[in-house]
Amino acid sequence: MKFCNTFSIEISTALTPLEQEFRRLITQYPALHPQSVCELPEAEPLLKEAVSHAGTQDGLSRLFLDTLQEDSFFHTGYDVELYRHLRYLPAIRHSHDFLEIVCIMQGTCTNWIAGQQIAMQEVDICIIAPDTQHAVGVFSNDCIVFNVLLRTSTFEQAFFGVLSENDILSDFFMRTLYHSKSHPFLLFRAGYDQELFNYIGFACHEFRHNRQY
C-alpha cells in the first residue's frame, strides 16, 4: 500500500496478476507499442494469453469488445460503476453508450480521443461523451487511474435541473444527451484540488465495500 500523492487516500500500487501478464507480454507484440493506439483484432492474441496465464475470467469478457453497452459494465440496479484502469492493458480504441469520467489519481497516462493525443497527468479529469472513439494507455507501475461510468439515462434524470444552468458543464451534457458530436469530451486540469480528489477516494472506498450512497 502507499498513499496517493497529496491526498489522504490509501491505494495499493501492487500489480495484479493480470497486469503482470500484460506487462510481460506487451514487449512481445510490436504492434502494441505503449505510445500508440491499437484496434481490438491486434490486441486479441495478447488479451487471450494474458487472461489464460492470469488464471481468471471474472468480468473480463468485456476486454474482447470494442463497442461496449451498459449491460457489459453495470451491475443490476447500479447507476454508477467505478473501475480502476488496468495498467499495461493495450490502448485499444473503443466506444460505449454511457458517460465516462477518467480520473488520474497518481502518475501520468495518455488518452487518445476524437483524433487527439492527450497527455494526462496527476489530478487531471476527462469527461467523455457516449459513442466517442477513444483509448487510454496506462504503462507504469505507479500510475493510478479510476474510471467512473454513468448510465446516460440516469444522468439525465438525476441532473435535469442542473442542465438548465448556463455554463460549460451544462452545455456539454446537453449536447451529449442530444447526441451532438461537436464536443466529445471535456478536460480539466484540476490543480491538486484536495476536496475534489478526496470525494473520488471516498467513492472508491464506498464502491469497493458495496456501501451505496
Side-chain angles (χ1 to χ4, degrees):
M1 288 284 197
K2 69 177 295 185
F3 282 96
C4 204
N5 289 351
T6 307
F7 312 108
S8 55
I9 304 165
E10 193 174 8
I11 303 171
S12 174
T13 56
L15 294 177
T16 67
L18 185 58
E19 289 173 326
Q20 292 174 23
E21 286 300 314
F22 285 148
R23 185 178 64 175
R24 182 181 68 84
L25 292 168
I26 196 79
T27 58
Q28 301 177 23
Y29 291 84
L32 306 180
H33 190 278
Q35 299 304 317
S36 63
V37 67
C38 67
E39 307 299 331
L40 179 60
E42 297 174 294
E44 212 162 353
L46 180 149
L47 297 179
K48 290 179 178 177
E49 187 171 353
V51 169
S52 174
H53 288 173
T56 179
Q57 296 286 336
D58 185 34
L60 297 179
S61 59
R62 59 181 177 268
L63 293 178
F64 298 92
L65 301 171
D66 55 10
T67 303
L68 306 171
Q69 307 298 319
E70 286 186 352
D71 291 344
S72 303
F73 275 83
F74 289 83
H75 293 88
T76 303
Y78 276 60
D79 299 316
V80 178
E81 296 278 349
L82 198 151
Y83 291 94
R84 181 168 171 175
H85 192 91
L86 288 167
R87 288 162 291 181
Y88 299 101
L89 172 71
I92 303 169
R93 197 190 317 274
H94 64 284
S95 63
H96 40 67
D97 63 354
F98 45 83
L99 281 156
E100 179 176 3
I101 305 175
V102 181
C103 308
I104 315 302
M105 303 293 285
Q106 180 170 290
T108 61
C109 71
T110 304
N111 193 352
W112 290 267
I113 179 170
Q116 300 183 48
Q117 181 174 330
I118 302 169
M120 296 187 67
Q121 57 193 11
E122 193 168 307
V123 302
D124 284 353
I125 291 178
C126 186
I127 307 176
I128 303 173
D131 304 315
T132 299
Q133 288 280 330
H134 65 283
V136 178
V138 181
F139 293 100
S140 67
N141 287 13
D142 63 350
C143 190
I144 299 173
V145 177
F146 281 103
N147 300 323
V148 182
L149 314 181
L150 306 170
R151 289 186 189 269
T152 305
S153 56
T154 302
F155 181 87
E156 185 175 14
Q157 295 167 13
F159 294 95
F160 183 79
V162 178
L163 299 181
S164 63
E165 302 293 332
N166 184 23
D167 57 39
I168 188 172
L169 278 172
S170 298
D171 181 66
F172 172 78
F173 290 124
M174 285 296 290
R175 292 174 185 271
T176 292
L177 294 174
Y178 288 102
H179 307 289
S180 170
K181 303 297 183 183
S182 59
H183 294 79
F185 71 96
L186 283 178
L187 176 65
F188 294 94
R189 308 290 189 184
Y192 293 94
D193 186 323
Q194 183 165 346
E195 182 179 14
L196 171 64
F197 276 80
N198 279 342
Y199 277 128
I200 296 172
F202 298 150
C204 295
H205 181 79
E206 180 179 287
F207 187 81
R208 185 171 55 191
H209 292 87
N210 195 27
R211 296 170 56 208
Q212 295 186 75
Y213 316 114

